[in-house]
Amino acid sequence: MLTKFEALRAIHDTGAVLIIRLDSEEEALAVSHAAIAGGIRALEITLSVPGAKRIITKLSEEYASQGIVIGAGTVLDAQSAFACVDAGAQMLVSPNLDPGMLNVANRYQAVSISGAFTPTEVVDTLSAGADIVKLFPTEISGPGYLKTVRAPLAQAPILPAGSANPDNVGEWIAAGAAAIGIGSYVTKAAKASGDYNDVTIAARAMLEAISAARGLGVQG
């Protein structure tokens, strides 16, 4: 079992959390395996996926010893949080601030990523004990908004979630993102072809773009 320190380091080292929100258990498992083959080391299985807790258990049993962080997403309360930890989740993610979820995460030393949008919400989320703040939604904000929020809150580790791709990830990194929440660019890469190797290729492309942006100081 990964320690919390090891889980946070996996997120930090890759700069990415893959958000899996798909329509079937089989597809979610196939995408997870393919993305891990492409270098992804932290995955969030949202509770909207059919059989989400079974997926979390299967992936945790297979990959925890390899340093892969398997987490649960859309965790809205303490009851759901404990059920996910009991299923093997080592990371809990919510789109909002729920103190009960954070209490469970901290009690069992799971990484907590809690949603916020405004500066007040960011501060409240940090004060409540979240490890990382999830900037959500991002479709109506963008890197410029993140940069503005972090100007007075430079200490806040913020992960923007949604709409990331290799072409814009450098702007998010330059704006101060601690890591990137990756979605459909990777998870739906095999929709057209039916070939899950396309997911592996997309995952590798995203991680390479994040690494380049960090190492070369890509400007937004």
Side-chain angles (χ1 to χ4, degrees):
M1 179 178 177
L2 289 175
T3 66
K4 184 173 183 176
F5 175 81
E6 290 168 334
L8 283 168
R9 186 170 60 187
I11 296 169
H12 174 270
D13 287 351
T14 59
V17 172
L18 182 65
I19 304 163
I20 297 192
R21 185 181 292 108
L22 295 167
D23 296 329
S24 75
E25 183 172 345
E26 294 74 20
E27 185 181 17
L29 279 168
V31 166
S32 297
H33 292 310
I36 290 169
I40 293 292
R41 293 179 62 197
L43 300 88
E44 167 195 342
I45 311 299
T46 69
L47 292 182
S48 61
V49 178
K53 289 191 284 293
R54 284 194 302 272
I55 296 169
I56 290 166
T57 298
K58 289 177 182 177
L59 294 175
S60 295
E61 289 174 347
E62 183 170 356
Y63 290 111
S65 64
Q66 300 177 37
I68 307 299
V69 184
I70 306 300
T74 322
V75 182
L76 302 181
D77 50 48
Q79 292 82 0
S80 299
F82 179 77
C84 291
V85 169
D86 193 48
Q90 293 178 291
M91 177 177 69
L92 300 176
V93 186
S94 65
N96 64 304
L97 169 59
D98 183 82
M101 185 280 271
L102 292 176
N103 287 340
V104 171
N106 288 324
R107 185 176 300 129
Y108 294 99
Q109 288 296 282
V111 172
S112 57
I113 304 178
S114 179
F117 187 73
T118 69
T120 297
E121 291 170 352
V122 170
V123 172
D124 287 347
T125 298
L126 292 173
S127 298
D131 296 308
I132 299 171
V133 178
K134 173 181 176 177
L135 181 64
F136 179 82
T138 57
E139 287 83 357
I140 61 173
S141 56
Y145 180 77
L146 173 60
K147 184 176 181 179
T148 300
V149 169
R150 288 196 76 256
L153 299 174
Q155 80 279 12
I158 298 179
L159 177 148
S163 302
N165 60 63
D167 293 330
N168 65 23
V169 72
E171 297 177 25
W172 285 111
I173 297 296
I180 306 294
I182 303 169
S184 59
Y185 179 83
V186 171
T187 62
K188 297 183 180 179
K191 283 287 188 182
S193 66
D195 182 355
Y196 286 101
N197 187 54
D198 290 342
V199 172
T200 300
I201 293 169
R204 191 172 294 124
M206 278 297 304
L207 294 176
E208 289 174 353
I210 291 170
S211 179
R214 285 172 155 185
L216 300 177
V218 175
Q219 297 299 306

